[in-house]
Amino acid sequence: MRVAVIGAGGMLGTDLMAVLGAEGVGLTHADVEVASRESVEAALPAEVDWVINTAAFHDVDGCEADPRRAFEVNALGALNVAATAAARGAGVVFLSTDYVFDGADPVPYGEDAAVAPLNVYGVSKVAGELAVRAATPRHLVVRSAYLFGKRRSGKGWNVVSGVVERARRGEPLTVATDLVFSPTYTADLARRIVMLLGHKVTGTVHVTNAGACTRLEFTRAVLEEAGLDAAIKQVSAAELPWRARRPLRSALASPLQERLGLPPLPGWRDGVRRYLKEELTS
Ligand SMILES: NC(=O)c1ccc[n+]([C@@H]2O[C@H](COP(=O)([O-])OP(=O)(O)OC[C@H]3O[C@@H](n4cnc5c(N)ncnc54)[C@H](OP(=O)(O)O)[C@@H]3O)[C@@H](O)[C@H]2O)c1
């Protein structure tokens, strides 16, 4: 199998390239601009079985401020990649998000739940999903959430390293107590995506570490696992100075993988522990 990974310098892209080894062809942002069809056509290898598109404009407040760019990257970019892959006889994997849901349902969202995004990022990702489905039946839309992992292109910020760095600087943390989600270690996500391709799964699938937590539980777990302490100011999501609305309860479940008999990924806290071990020892 020959698999092109777009966004190969990012968190998920880095882990996908590690899992794929010699089967992976990595394309960084320096190699390809997904918003440009010409750039995608020029960069994608002629002979490829799958293209995994991890490129995104996923700064949620940034998307709210710049909807045009959000749609250029997340929707038009998804179409450019999927249509080019299809023209080459390749399948496409598109990364999407729990933010396609409105978070009003207390039960974790399965793959068949109705989408109802609350912000521009979520709308642009729904548009990207639709574009991919329209471009080729040979697609896998993978919705995941709250990613943390190592980036090949420098360390960069993520939801775990952000907590660790602030705690190390002795800064207090302001944390919402009412946001529930399913955090996910990109190393686990990458392994599962490649496994799903091996099982020839197509359609839409939810992939997260097992379980769900509040942002407060997540922050406390990160501090404990890193052996750090920090003052935490507890607030509600409504009190945070965010430009974009966020879903309150966006935990994901995967009835599809249960039906296929695939085991759940390790729990989210286990993912945090393994990520910190890797990050802090490197
Ligand atoms: N992060 C999360 O919490 C989260 C949650 C749910 C779903 N997702 C989805 O999961 C996917 C992977 O996320 P991630 O956290 O691994 O992201 P990431 O670390 O930011 O990696 C994305 C990579 O794509 C590249 N890229 C950005 N815009 C591009 C463009 N227009 N053309 C080509 N390459 C571009 C970036 O390069 P530069 O940095 O050099 O621009 C970066 O290396 C995304 O589709 C995201 O929407 C993420």
Side-chain angles (χ1 to χ4, degrees):
M1 196 163 67
R2 193 158 190 248
V3 182
V5 177
I6 297 179
M11 286 194 293
L12 178 58
T14 297
D15 283 321
L16 280 166
M17 289 303 294
V19 174
L20 287 163
E23 292 181 314
V25 181
L27 298 171
T28 67
H29 204 170
D31 302 315
V32 62
E33 168 52 63
V34 295
S36 157
R37 181 70 165 260
E38 293 72 26
S39 172
V40 173
E41 286 178 353
L44 270 191
E47 310 243 322
V48 63
D49 300 300
W50 283 92
V51 180
I52 305 180
N53 179 12
T54 76
F57 179 22
H58 59 74
D59 167 356
V60 178
D61 288 330
C63 287
E64 211 71 11
D66 191 354
R68 178 185 293 274
R69 186 64 187 157
F71 276 81
E72 280 173 357
V73 178
N74 299 337
L76 183 60
L79 176 64
N80 289 336
V81 172
T84 306
R88 306 218 169 146
V92 67
V93 179
F94 175 64
L95 267 296
S96 188
T97 167
D98 55 332
Y99 278 20
V100 300
F101 299 114
D102 64 10
D105 195 339
V107 177
Y109 290 91
E111 286 93 355
D112 291 338
V115 299
L118 296 179
N119 52 45
V120 169
Y121 171 63
V123 176
S124 70
K125 281 294 199 178
V126 170
E129 291 187 3
L130 290 171
V132 168
R133 293 186 191 113
T136 171
R138 202 161 158 237
H139 66 256
L140 184 63
V141 171
V142 179
R143 296 193 187 119
S144 192
Y146 219 65
L147 301 184
F148 50 91
K150 284 182 78 156
R151 275 191 185 83
R152 192 174 63 170
S153 58
K155 286 221 159 181
W157 183 93
N158 67 45
V159 288
V160 173
S161 67
V163 170
V164 169
E165 281 162 25
R166 292 200 71 152
R168 279 188 180 148
R169 289 198 298 265
E171 294 173 14
L173 301 164
T174 302
V175 182
T177 54
D178 52 352
L179 288 170
V180 178
F181 48 83
S182 304
T184 305
Y185 182 24
T186 50
D188 292 335
L189 174 58
R191 272 190 289 273
R192 181 52 57 97
I193 290 172
V194 174
M195 180 196 276
L196 290 166
L197 293 185
H199 281 71
K200 301 195 185 329
V201 178
T202 54
T204 300
V205 64
H206 291 178
V207 182
T208 65
N209 278 122
C213 59
T214 64
R215 206 173 265 227
L216 181 62
E217 289 166 334
F218 183 78
T219 304
R220 284 186 171 144
V222 170
L223 291 171
E224 280 172 26
E225 295 294 344
L228 293 166
D229 205 5
I232 296 179
K233 183 182 177 207
Q234 299 182 28
V235 297
S236 69
E239 292 173 79
L240 290 168
W242 281 334
R243 183 188 276 263
R245 291 169 68 206
R246 266 84 165 163
L248 276 185
R249 289 178 295 265
S250 59
L252 299 180
S254 181
L256 172 65
Q257 292 187 81
E258 277 176 38
R259 285 199 299 277
L260 293 170
L262 296 173
L265 293 188
W268 63 265
R269 183 156 180 154
D270 184 70
V272 168
R273 190 175 303 131
R274 283 179 288 122
Y275 165 67
L276 280 171
K277 200 170 163 203
E278 191 189 4
E279 189 73 64
L280 298 178
T281 54
S282 63

